[in-house]
Amino acid sequence: MSGVIIMIIAIVVLGGGYLLYGRWLAKTWGIDPKAKTPAYELQDGVDYEPADTAVVFGHQFASIAGAGPINGPIQAAVFGWVPVLLWILIGGLFFGAVQDFSAMYASVKNKGRTIGYIIEEYIGKIGKKLFLLFCWLFCILVVAAFADVVAGTFNGFNAEGAHIVSNGSVATTSVLFIVEAVALGLVLRFAKLNKWINTAIAVALLVVGVVVGLNAPIFIATGTWHIIVFIYILIASVVPVWALLQPRDYLNSYLLVFMIAASVIGVLVTNPSINLPAFTSFSVEGVGNMFPILFVTIACGAVSGFHSLVSSGTASKQIKNEKNMLPVSFGAMLMESMLAVIALIAVASFATGAAAEAGYTTPAQIFAGGVANFLSQIGLPHNVVFTLINLAVSAFALTSLDSVARIGRLSFQELFLDASIDDDNMEGWRKVVTNKYFATVITLILAYLLAKAGYQNIWPLFGSANQLLSALSLIACAVYFKKTNRKGWMLWVPMLVMLAVTLTALIQKIIALIGNPTAGNILQLAFAIALFVLGVIVACLGLKRLTEKNTAAA
């Protein structure tokens, strides 16, 4: 098998799925292009702010992708490339894209409210409170895992203390990228220039950042980067979306186009050999059984509950027109699956031990190194491509970080809010815990403590909680569709499969953590037990509503 054949199969399946299945879902559920979306109806300049389709797509894709579709398939490749490819394509089309679209659809139809509010409206207040607590704990896990990935990507020193120039260049460019995003945000907000001029400015800023990064790398250790990354998340998750989130996503969209296009061209031109075995074993020593480990490891590349939080938490509040929901949600998920396929081809192109010999120790470096190898064969400088691809990966991870920190903060605040509570007469303690700065800080402190355990240790727990969240989101959307007399049967198989996968994985993780009660594992164990209990209760409440007789009007 060659990389080109795998690429063609993925393009045909995912592209055909969008044109046929995605459009059929939009027609079945109903899209009103003339409806006033929440971005206009509730525009506040902070969370609700209409944005062009390309900008929202960039935000959605960068937020949901992060390090997931690269880390997951590369780690899951120990089972062989065939099971990984099959789950990416089947899961991405019939599980992940359906979940993302249904979550955004339900949110836009309910004033841009989160899945938590959907649960409150259609399942009950207790379900909402428990779901919000689940989301908050889950967001802490995501921040911890992705922050450690970013810090490792920026780490300027190897085990011997020597400089890692490529990492230093990526770090410099990424820092400049954030500064440039703030400057671009001011331009987009106040200058009101032609979109082509805005595009030219964005591309120019991107080029400047890469050039400076290649010539002025900065070398900082992982531990210090942990602190810097968390300070960035704290700031980025509380500022208005127009000041950083939207312009950074605008820049991200160009990185997105470059990374995907360059990777596809590299594979098509060089046609790399697939050096991984098609299948290894149903059970891999030190990893576990294919069921459920393969599914929770691939995570974001096929289906991810985190996507539903982005679709209903931030992106739905920026949708200009209902017809944009399909490309932004369904389309972004399939694009992420395509990225996961590219990551699989990249790791499969290395002979056994070749990646480690080249100094690639993290999945992001393996991915960037593989793509750089492809493109260097057609004349592009290896170090430039490696820096650009690593920049794109870190940019996506940073986007996920401040998006999920914002969602975690909102989930924590919502835990202590109720429609019956008047803001002016709120008790003192409630004012403190619902303060956005307090909610953000308490979320990030716990995430920082978990991040010190390293993403390799957190990833199985993150993956399990992530897939369980997808099941809960699918249940919530299925209840919404039922209560509003819309067809939701296409959500049933994904929700039931994800429940089986994730509850099994969480039980296995809890047993493993109990058997190794170190200080770091005790904190993970507390999270695992809490997530399992909360998930089961919310799932039972949702399934009860889903199976009862429908008495609501359309």
Side-chain angles (χ1 to χ4, degrees):
M1 181 65 74
S2 69
V4 167
I5 294 177
I6 293 178
M7 180 73 71
I8 292 174
I9 291 173
I11 291 173
V12 171
V13 172
L14 299 176
Y18 178 88
L19 295 175
L20 298 175
Y21 191 46
R23 289 180 176 178
W24 177 80
L25 287 175
K27 182 179 179 181
T28 300
W29 294 341
I31 297 293
D32 184 2
K34 297 181 180 179
K36 190 174 184 180
T37 62
Y40 287 109
E41 185 180 357
L42 302 171
Q43 186 172 1
D44 60 6
V46 178
D47 294 313
Y48 290 86
E49 185 72 16
D52 291 336
T53 306
V55 174
V56 188
F57 180 91
H59 162 70
Q60 176 81 4
F61 181 81
S63 296
I64 67 175
I70 293 171
N71 275 26
I74 289 176
Q75 293 186 68
V78 294
F79 292 105
W81 66 265
V82 169
V84 174
L85 178 64
L86 287 175
W87 177 236
I88 289 172
L89 297 181
I90 295 172
L93 180 57
F94 296 104
F95 288 61
V98 172
Q99 178 216 240
D100 295 9
F101 188 20
S102 62
M104 181 173 287
Y105 183 92
S107 178
V108 170
K109 290 293 188 180
N110 285 273
K111 299 185 181 297
R113 291 170 177 162
T114 65
I115 289 294
Y117 275 106
I118 303 298
I119 289 177
E120 178 181 27
E121 180 70 21
Y122 298 98
I123 296 178
K125 288 185 178 181
I126 294 177
K128 176 197 173 185
K129 292 293 185 183
L130 295 176
F131 180 80
L132 288 173
L133 182 55
F134 181 98
C135 288
W136 181 60
L137 295 174
F138 170 73
C139 287
I140 292 171
L141 280 174
V142 178
V143 172
F146 282 17
D148 186 59
V149 169
V150 171
T153 302
F154 292 170
N155 176 37
F157 303 95
N158 61 21
E160 289 73 37
H163 288 164
I164 306 176
V165 177
S166 58
N167 287 12
S169 295
V170 172
T172 299
T173 303
S174 297
V175 172
L176 285 175
F177 191 76
I178 294 169
V179 175
E180 291 171 348
V182 174
L184 181 61
L186 296 173
V187 171
L188 294 174
R189 181 76 170 180
F190 300 110
K192 308 296 183 183
L193 301 176
N194 179 277
K195 67 178 182 179
W196 295 110
I197 297 177
N198 290 334
T199 298
I201 293 173
V203 173
L205 289 173
L206 184 58
V207 171
V208 168
V210 173
V211 171
V212 173
L214 289 171
N215 290 279
I218 53 179
F219 302 105
I220 299 176
T222 303
T224 305
W225 274 122
H226 272 141
I227 297 172
I228 296 173
V229 168
F230 273 94
I231 291 174
Y232 162 76
I233 302 169
L234 173 63
I235 297 171
S237 61
V238 297
V239 299
V241 292
W242 65 264
L244 179 59
L245 187 146
Q246 286 185 348
R248 187 207 46 220
D249 294 340
Y250 190 54
L251 287 171
N252 276 348
S253 65
Y254 293 98
L255 275 176
L256 155 69
V257 171
F258 166 79
M259 186 176 75
I260 299 295
S263 301
V264 171
I265 291 172
V267 171
L268 294 178
V269 172
T270 61
N271 191 18
S273 299
I274 301 301
N275 295 313
L276 278 178
F279 175 73
T280 57
S281 172
F282 283 103
S283 181
V284 177
E285 186 177 355
V287 177
N289 297 325
M290 183 180 294
F291 180 90
I293 300 301
L294 173 77
F295 304 93
V296 298
T297 301
I298 292 176
C300 309
V303 57
S304 165
F306 170 56
H307 297 187
S308 69
L309 302 185
V310 177
S311 296
S312 67
T314 55
S316 64
K317 297 175 176 61
Q318 302 175 57
I319 293 290
K320 273 188 172 183
N321 191 301
E322 284 192 9
K323 66 182 181 181
N324 297 341
M325 289 191 288
L326 180 64
V328 169
S329 59
F330 201 94
M333 178 61 236
L334 296 187
M335 182 70 77
E336 180 169 10
S337 293
M338 189 71 240
L339 179 57
V341 171
I342 295 171
L344 175 62
I345 295 173
V347 69
S349 68
F350 285 101
T352 304
E357 290 177 6
Y360 306 141
T361 57
T362 68
Q365 291 171 342
I366 293 172
F367 173 75
V371 175
N373 288 342
F374 303 155
L375 295 177
S376 63
Q377 294 183 42
I378 59 176
L380 295 181
H382 190 282
N383 65 325
V384 173
V385 176
F386 184 83
T387 298
L388 276 171
I389 299 298
N390 251 322
L391 169 64
V393 174
S394 64
F396 294 158
L398 285 170
T399 300
S400 294
L401 278 169
D402 58 62
S403 293
V404 77
R406 186 182 291 261
I407 292 167
R409 179 253 296 175
L410 291 171
S411 298
F412 186 83
Q413 289 175 287
E414 287 180 30
L415 270 172
F416 304 97
L417 293 175
D418 192 278
S420 61
I421 299 174
D422 188 283
D423 291 347
D424 296 328
N425 299 317
M426 192 180 295
E427 305 98 310
W429 69 269
R430 199 183 298 271
K431 287 183 178 180
V432 172
V433 295
T434 56
N435 178 276
K436 69 177 181 179
Y437 299 106
F438 178 88
T440 302
V441 169
I442 193 67
T443 300
L444 295 184
I445 287 175
L446 289 172
Y448 179 80
L449 294 175
L450 273 174
K452 304 307 288 184
Y455 81 89
Q456 298 96 330
N457 294 320
I458 301 171
W459 198 267
L461 180 56
F462 153 73
S464 302
N466 188 27
Q467 308 298 69
L468 180 52
L469 179 58
S470 73
L472 300 181
S473 298
L474 285 164
I475 292 172
C477 290
V479 172
Y480 162 73
F481 285 139
K482 178 182 179 180
K483 296 297 183 182
T484 56
N485 292 330
R486 292 178 170 89
K487 293 180 180 178
W489 55 264
M490 63 289 293
L491 277 61
W492 278 71
V493 171
M495 79 169 72
L496 294 175
V497 170
M498 286 299 97
L499 279 175
V501 166
T502 54
L503 294 180
T504 302
L506 275 174
I507 290 173
Q508 291 181 353
K509 183 64 176 177
I510 289 171
I511 293 173
L513 289 170
I514 291 175
N516 186 22
T518 63
N521 284 351
I522 289 174
L523 183 57
Q524 287 193 66
L525 177 61
F527 271 73
I529 294 173
L531 290 167
F532 180 85
V533 173
L534 290 169
V536 169
I537 295 174
V538 175
C540 290
L541 290 173
L543 290 172
K544 180 181 178 181
R545 289 286 187 181
L546 195 56
T547 54
E548 68 185 13
K549 185 177 180 180
N550 192 2
T551 57

